[in-house]
Amino acid sequence: MSVLFQHVGKKIRFYRKARNLTQEQLAEIIPLDQSHLVRIEKGTVNITLETIEKISAALKIQPGQLFETDRSNKDANREDLEKIQILLFDKSREDIKRVSSILKEIFLIKKNSE
């Protein structure tokens, strides 16, 4: 199959795992046959736009995120940043501000201890 199908499949697997979902759980949410989801994640089957839309909605991401590629080695930490984004996705503005304050304090403590 195409490199694009494989790339999209890897992205689906990444976001599914970031959401702590099994293939079975995601397949139930969509709904989609689990064996078909396995083939999608492996990149061995053509995926329709409708299926991309359903998977994206279930993973609470934008469909375009499944097509994004890392543009340079500077994006090595991109997966970790995407995991953080997923954790904060449905949180309130107040909660996000709290997390931001905590991170600032952590970095300040780290800087002062160096």
Side-chain angles (χ1 to χ4, degrees), residues 41-53:
E41 286 190 0
K42 288 182 178 180
T44 60
V45 65
N46 189 352
I47 183 170
T48 66
L49 292 175
E50 182 181 8
T51 302
I52 288 172
E53 184 178 47

Side-chain angles (χ1 to χ4, degrees), residues 30-78:
I30 293 173
L32 184 72
D33 184 65
Q34 183 182 353
S35 64
H36 189 63
L37 180 59
V38 168
R39 290 190 303 274
I40 290 170
E41 286 190 0
K42 288 182 178 180
T44 60
V45 65
N46 189 352
I47 183 170
T48 66
L49 292 175
E50 182 181 8
T51 302
I52 288 172
E53 184 178 47
K54 289 178 182 180
I55 291 171
S56 300
L59 296 173
K60 300 179 181 176
I61 61 170
Q62 295 296 314
Q65 289 177 260
L66 297 176
F67 298 95
E68 291 176 352
T69 58
D70 294 334
R71 291 177 176 83
S72 71
N73 289 336
K74 292 180 182 179
D75 292 331
N77 294 327
R78 185 173 175 87

Side-chain angles (χ1 to χ4, degrees), residues 10 15 19 37 39 41 62 81 86 103-104 113:
K10 286 179 184 177
Y15 286 113
R19 287 266 181 219
L37 180 59
R39 290 190 303 274
E41 286 190 0
Q62 295 296 314
L81 292 173
I86 289 168
L103 287 174
K104 287 177 185 176
S113 67

